[in-house]
Every structure is written in C-alpha cells, then in structure tokens.
Amino acid sequence: MSLLDDARKRINEVDAQMADLFEQRMQAVEDVIRYKVEHQMDVLDTGREKDVLKRNMGLIKQDKYKDSYLAFMEDMLKISKDYQKSVIYHDTVGYQGVQGAFSHIASEKVFPYRKKRNFASFEDVFQAVCQNEIAYGVIPFENSFTGEVGEVLDLLLRYDVYIQQIYDLKISQNLLGVKGATLQDIKQVYSKDQAIYQSKQFLEGRGYELIPYPNTALAAEYVAKQNDKTKAAIAAKENAELYGLDILAEDINTSEQNTTRFIIIGKKLVKEGNRFSMIFTAKHEAGALVKAMEVISKHGFNMESIKSRSIKNKPWAYYSMWKLTAIYRIRK
C-alpha cells in the first residue's frame, strides 16, 4: 500500500468516526432545542459560543492546525444554529408591515394556522428566510393596476430563495377616518404610494393633500393615533375594526379588478408544477435573448411575460425575469 493509499484509508476511518460523533452532537442539539422552546430562549447565545470556541481551541496541541480548527468549529456552530432555527421556526411565516397590512391579510389566507411574524422591510423578510428564522415569506410581487414591485425583483436576484407558490388577493381600498369624521372634514390622506395611485380617480378634484406612507396599515394606525378629523388613510376594511376607524368611502380603487399577486418564498426548490419564473442576465450581444427563447421553446414552455430591471451600479445594464408556463406538466 502506498503512502497515499494509507493516508486515504486513515482519513476514511476518521470520517466514519466523525460522522458518528456528528450525529451524537446533533442529537444533543435536539435537547437544546427542546429546552430553548420550553423556556422561550433565543437561538443565538453569543456568550456560549465564545466559551465553546475558547475551550475547544485549547484542545488542539499543534499550533499549525489551530486556524483551520477554528474555521471548522465556527462552521459547526453555524450548522447547529441553522438547524435550531429550522426546527424552532418551521411553522412561522413572515411578512412586511404590521397587522392589517395586505401582506398580513394574504399571509392569513395562505397560512391560516401558522404563526406570523412581521418585519419592517421586504429585505428583512428575505434575510429571515435565508437565515432560517422563518419558513416562508409572503411578498407582494405585482399589482394588476400599478404593475410589479421593482424592489422585490432586485431582492429575488440578490437572495438565494425560490418561489414556492403564488396567491392572488383581490384588493379593496377604502378611505378610513376617525370616529365622527366626514369626507368634507378630510384635508390630508395617508397611504402607501401604490394605494394612492390605485385610488387616483376617487381622489382627483377633492383637494386632499396626499402623503405617502410606508404601508397602508401603518397609515391607518397613524390616523387612529392622531385622532384628527382632518386626517384619513387609504387601507383595507379590516383596518377600520382593527384601529377603531370609520369607513368614509368603500372600494375607492379605480379598477374593480384590482388584484395583487403575492409570491411565497422559501429556501427549497419546488420540483413539481406547471409554471415557474427565472431571473438571469445575458451577454450584451446580438441574438442573446433569442437563443434563450429557443431553449425555452425547445423544452415545451410558453413565455407569459418578461420584465427588465436595471442593474444597480451598472448604468444601462439590465437583468430580466421571465415567467413561463409548461405546455406539459413538469415531473419530478
């Protein structure tokens, strides 16, 4: 047996021992998870991590291996944290905004029995999915009246997530005011910019000051807290009851078919279905997109739409998102 063969044999033997020890370690992590859930503890324990690294580094006798072992242990701790998060938060769904926001309403429709967690921004939701802090994120992707949410396209390109499913929510915008207010009292209207645009026909000529707000439900919450008859919010009907407001005007969106398509994002690739979307860049040369289309056609897909979006920090460069439907059903 050569020196190389002998070394590989010893590595295989050690790997077998490490695999067994790894399983034992993860079984101990299962007990940690049960304890943390029972006592409502956070997954991250910085002090514990420092102690583990310090103690284990003292077990390495040869200095030349210490840097490598440190990297190994840091990876091991990350694996442990990721696994803990995947178990503890496996039934948690995230959305952007506050209770009463359309994203929250969509979350309740798609996942009525799962725990919900709200985040300040769309990117926070994407990060939470990638870090196993939530199982799924419910994100508005496009509206039938105002078009796509451009920021979401950028986030889909940036983060390693997959679209698990889509959900179309019929949107009813309503003008909400404090108790006793009338349409004649209103001087300022707060809402998400898209909601204001969707209600453009109703708002025209009324002389209201239109003030963009991060989110429709936050706008309703703000108006309720101000308790000022001159302020109103455009939001879902659910917010009237939630924040103790009156509905001054119902269904004020210009389009009766006003619908927002939500995407459900997660970390796993769905391998069965008859529809998918993909984001990609192509070389800036003649025929590049045509070649991509030929591949799509060859594999039996019909292209429903193509959206282009500028690449940040690269003037006049773009990426595309294509939505495709299979002529035949995709099989595993």
Side-chain angles (χ1 to χ4, degrees):
M1 181 181 295
S2 69
L3 178 63
L4 178 61
D5 290 335
D6 179 63
R8 286 175 172 171
K9 180 175 180 296
R10 284 184 286 124
I11 287 174
N12 290 341
E13 291 172 351
V14 172
D15 284 347
Q17 296 174 44
M18 289 178 65
D20 180 63
L21 291 172
F22 177 78
E23 288 189 332
Q24 292 183 46
R25 192 182 198 283
M26 295 305 289
Q27 287 165 1
V29 169
E30 298 273 6
D31 290 335
V32 170
I33 292 172
R34 281 189 282 271
Y35 185 89
K36 286 184 176 180
V37 170
E38 182 179 346
H39 293 81
Q40 298 183 340
M41 296 172 60
D42 292 333
V43 169
L44 179 61
D45 186 340
T46 305
R48 165 66 178 167
E49 283 195 13
K50 290 180 178 178
D51 289 342
V52 170
L53 291 174
K54 183 178 179 180
R55 184 186 65 253
N56 284 11
M57 288 301 293
L59 300 175
I60 299 298
K61 298 179 177 60
Q62 298 190 50
D63 288 343
K64 62 182 178 181
Y65 298 141
K66 285 191 173 182
D67 288 345
S68 298
Y69 186 68
L70 176 61
F72 171 79
M73 282 306 305
E74 288 175 340
D75 284 343
M76 180 63 70
L77 291 173
K78 182 179 184 303
I79 289 169
S80 173
K81 286 184 292 186
D82 286 347
Y83 182 71
Q84 290 180 55
K85 290 177 182 178
S86 70
V87 174
I88 293 174
Y89 304 122
H90 76 282
D91 63 344
T92 303
V93 176
Y95 65 93
Q96 183 273 335
V98 297
Q99 187 177 3
F102 286 110
S103 292
H104 174 251
I105 295 171
S107 300
E108 292 289 357
K109 297 287 187 182
V110 180
F111 301 103
Y113 305 111
R114 289 179 181 255
K115 292 183 291 187
K116 310 298 186 300
R117 180 179 172 187
N118 69 308
F119 294 86
S121 69
F122 295 140
E123 185 162 17
D124 288 341
V125 179
F126 275 78
Q127 290 177 347
V129 169
C130 291
Q131 295 169 6
N132 293 308
E133 294 178 5
I134 55 176
Y136 302 103
V138 179
I139 303 288
F141 179 67
E142 59 183 331
N143 178 266
S144 60
F145 190 76
T146 56
E148 72 272 5
V149 182
E151 178 187 354
V152 173
L153 283 175
D154 294 337
L155 294 171
L156 285 169
L157 180 66
R158 192 182 313 156
Y159 287 94
D160 188 18
V161 298
Y162 297 98
I163 297 174
Q164 311 291 303
Q165 65 181 98
I166 59 175
Y167 176 75
D168 292 344
L169 178 68
K170 185 72 177 295
I171 301 297
S172 171
Q173 303 289 9
N174 305 269
L175 190 68
L176 311 181
V178 300
K179 295 294 184 181
T182 66
L183 289 176
Q184 289 70 37
D185 294 324
I186 303 304
K187 294 181 179 179
Q188 296 174 318
V189 174
Y190 299 79
S191 195
K192 181 76 173 171
D193 50 0
Q194 286 96 337
I196 292 173
Y197 186 75
Q198 290 166 21
S199 309
K200 183 179 178 181
Q201 184 171 306
F202 171 84
L203 296 170
E204 282 181 345
R206 294 181 180 271
Y208 298 153
E209 180 185 1
L210 306 178
I211 304 173
Y213 220 71
N215 168 298
T216 55
L218 283 173
E221 181 183 46
Y222 171 77
V223 168
K225 288 180 177 179
Q226 294 299 303
N227 195 27
D228 183 344
K229 289 185 178 182
T230 67
K231 299 181 186 297
I234 297 174
K237 289 185 177 75
E238 288 85 346
N239 290 275
E241 181 177 353
L242 185 62
Y243 297 110
L245 299 172
D246 282 344
I247 300 177
L248 306 183
E250 294 187 51
D251 301 322
I252 64 173
N253 32 269
T254 302
S255 171
E256 293 182 359
Q257 303 303 318
N258 191 16
T259 302
T260 294
R261 171 158 291 177
F262 288 83
I263 56 174
I264 316 304
I265 60 172
K267 291 188 70 175
K268 293 183 179 180
L269 173 64
V270 178
K271 296 183 179 180
E272 187 176 37
N274 62 358
R275 176 178 294 175
F276 75 95
S277 299
M278 62 181 179
I279 295 177
F280 68 94
T281 60
K283 291 183 178 180
H284 187 50
E285 61 184 29
L289 287 180
V290 172
K291 291 176 183 177
M293 291 179 184
E294 288 175 348
V295 172
I296 289 168
S297 176
K298 180 180 178 181
H299 286 81
F301 290 94
N302 176 51
M303 187 169 66
E304 291 185 350
S305 68
I306 177 171
K307 304 176 188 295
S308 294
R309 179 85 171 160
S310 61
I311 299 176
K312 303 296 182 290
N313 302 319
K314 290 187 178 180
W316 321 126
Y318 304 86
Y319 68 84
S320 297
M321 180 169 188
W322 294 18
K323 183 165 63 177
L324 312 168
T325 300
I327 297 175
Y328 51 84
R329 188 168 180 80
I330 303 171
R331 294 181 175 84
K332 288 185 178 180

